[in-house]
Amino acid sequence: MEPESRANGTAITEFILLGLVETPGLRPVIFVLFFFAYLVTVGGNISILAAILVESKLHTPMYFFLGNLSALDIGCITVTVPSMLGRLLSHKHTVSYGACLTQLFFFHQLAGVDCFLLTAMAYDRFLAICQPLTYSTRMSQTVQRILVVVSWACAFTNALTHTVAISTLTFCGPNMINHFYCDLPQLFQLSCSSTQLNELLLFGLGILMAGVPVILIVTSYIHVAVAVLQIRSPEGRKKAFSTCGSHLTVVGIFYGTGVFSYMRLGSVEASDKDKGIGILNTVISPMLNPLIYSLRNPDVQGALWRVLTGKRALA
């Protein structure tokens, strides 16, 4: 590939995404597996959305946030997997500089909204269990919409900041990314210029985007645990904990994979492990979320069954 000069000093106009496997014989297997995972993820999350829309019992703040989370899961896997499947079919591993930065922007936009949305869901559980008398007032439809809008606005600012910052770096070769989508750690490794400011920016914004939400989630659930333990009825305690278990499982998967993805910057040796973490973050987690939220929730199970069979709930 012939270098081409750019206004910001970047010579590279394309990156080569090496993908998940280098053995040609394994690519059809990878295509089938990820195509199936994509269909299951999109289908599962659309089913959750349909169940929430058609079932009046699910028209509550908790399921409003869950519906938004399902839409985010569809978006998150759509940003990364279809383009990877297209490269497997066409045997073309290149991605343009602009397309790479666009993918990075949308990935961080959606992941950022996820951070704040999971925090809003923890706040919802805190109000519902610890302050039930003021719950309907403090978690009104207006408050729900404000929380979602603020989540999108903060995530947009974060994603735009990282995209603009990465566009100021110089890339003059090599241009091979040992991953199946474009992300900050892999691009930092390829930059010819210093990435120190970018890494500090990632660390600082990471504290705001992930550290603060984690603190708020943990604080909310400490109060929830104290309130639940004061319930005398075993059935009451079980019901209260069951509404929180699914959310805590999703929080653990989401933040666990995120920490491993961004806390090992500059480690070329970790690239193969980062692919596995990337699969967990962009494929497995969105695919599991519908299952996690419906597995122990009879209301969601009933609504899903009525959606699939076309039956309506009895009045």
Side-chain angles (χ1 to χ4, degrees), residues 119 122-123 211-221:
T119 309
Y123 177 61
V212 173
V214 165
I215 291 172
L216 293 175
I217 290 170
V218 170
T219 303
S220 296
Y221 276 110

Side-chain angles (χ1 to χ4, degrees), residues 9 11-12 15 17 28 45 95 97 109 122 126 133 151-152 168 181 192 194 211 215 225 240 243:
I12 287 176
F15 293 104
L17 287 167
N45 283 288
V95 58
Y97 177 85
Q109 166 74 60
F126 163 75
L133 296 178
S151 298
W152 277 93
T168 64
Y181 63 92
C192 301
S194 173
I215 291 172
T243 61

Side-chain angles (χ1 to χ4, degrees), residues 90-127:
S90 64
H91 303 290
K92 181 182 178 182
H93 300 286
T94 57
V95 58
S96 69
Y97 177 85
C100 189
L101 264 61
T102 301
Q103 185 181 55
L104 184 148
F105 170 81
F106 281 108
F107 178 75
H108 281 269
Q109 166 74 60
L110 296 169
V113 179
D114 234 331
C115 288
F116 291 112
L117 200 59
L118 290 171
T119 309
M121 294 173 79
Y123 177 61
D124 172 73
R125 292 298 83 207
F126 163 75
L127 290 179

Side-chain angles (χ1 to χ4, degrees), residues 95-306:
V95 58
S96 69
Y97 177 85
C100 189
L101 264 61
T102 301
Q103 185 181 55
L104 184 148
F105 170 81
F106 281 108
F107 178 75
H108 281 269
Q109 166 74 60
L110 296 169
V113 179
D114 234 331
C115 288
F116 291 112
L117 200 59
L118 290 171
T119 309
M121 294 173 79
Y123 177 61
D124 172 73
R125 292 298 83 207
F126 163 75
L127 290 179
I129 295 173
C130 300
Q131 300 181 13
L133 296 178
T134 59
Y135 176 67
S136 59
T137 303
R138 299 179 70 175
M139 192 51 76
S140 63
Q141 288 189 355
T142 301
V143 173
Q144 296 168 43
R145 291 175 183 141
I146 289 173
L147 288 172
V148 171
V149 170
V150 170
S151 298
W152 277 93
C154 292
F156 175 82
T157 303
N158 174 70
L160 185 63
T161 301
H162 284 307
T163 306
V164 172
I166 202 79
S167 69
T168 64
L169 297 179
T170 301
F171 298 93
C172 51
N175 66 335
M176 290 186 293
I177 299 175
N178 189 18
H179 216 300
F180 63 98
Y181 63 92
C182 294
D183 203 3
L184 294 172
Q186 290 74 34
L187 290 175
F188 289 168
Q189 293 171 10
L190 299 181
S191 175
C192 301
S193 52
S194 173
T195 61
Q196 185 176 6
L197 289 177
N198 297 76
E199 292 179 14
L200 287 173
L201 185 65
L202 179 59
F203 179 76
L205 289 177
I207 292 175
L208 293 175
M209 296 293 296
V212 173
V214 165
I215 291 172
L216 293 175
I217 290 170
V218 170
T219 303
S220 296
Y221 276 110
I222 288 174
H223 286 89
V224 167
V226 171
V228 170
L229 290 174
Q230 292 176 349
I231 299 174
R232 294 183 178 181
S233 167
E235 287 297 322
R237 287 198 298 268
K238 183 179 178 181
K239 183 177 179 181
F241 273 127
S242 67
T243 61
C244 304
S246 300
H247 179 247
L248 283 172
T249 303
V250 172
V251 167
I253 295 172
F254 179 79
Y255 283 105
T257 55
V259 167
F260 278 105
S261 294
Y262 299 107
M263 292 298 107
R264 299 187 300 172
L265 297 177
S267 174
V268 178
E269 295 79 8
S271 293
D272 289 333
K273 294 180 181 179
D274 288 340
K275 289 181 186 179
I277 295 168
I279 293 171
L280 282 172
N281 211 15
T282 63
V283 181
I284 304 300
S285 180
M287 185 169 61
L288 288 179
N289 283 353
L291 180 63
I292 291 170
Y293 277 104
S294 62
L295 194 61
R296 298 177 61 186
N297 192 318
D299 291 335
V300 174
Q301 290 173 2
L304 284 172
W305 176 251
R306 284 187 283 276

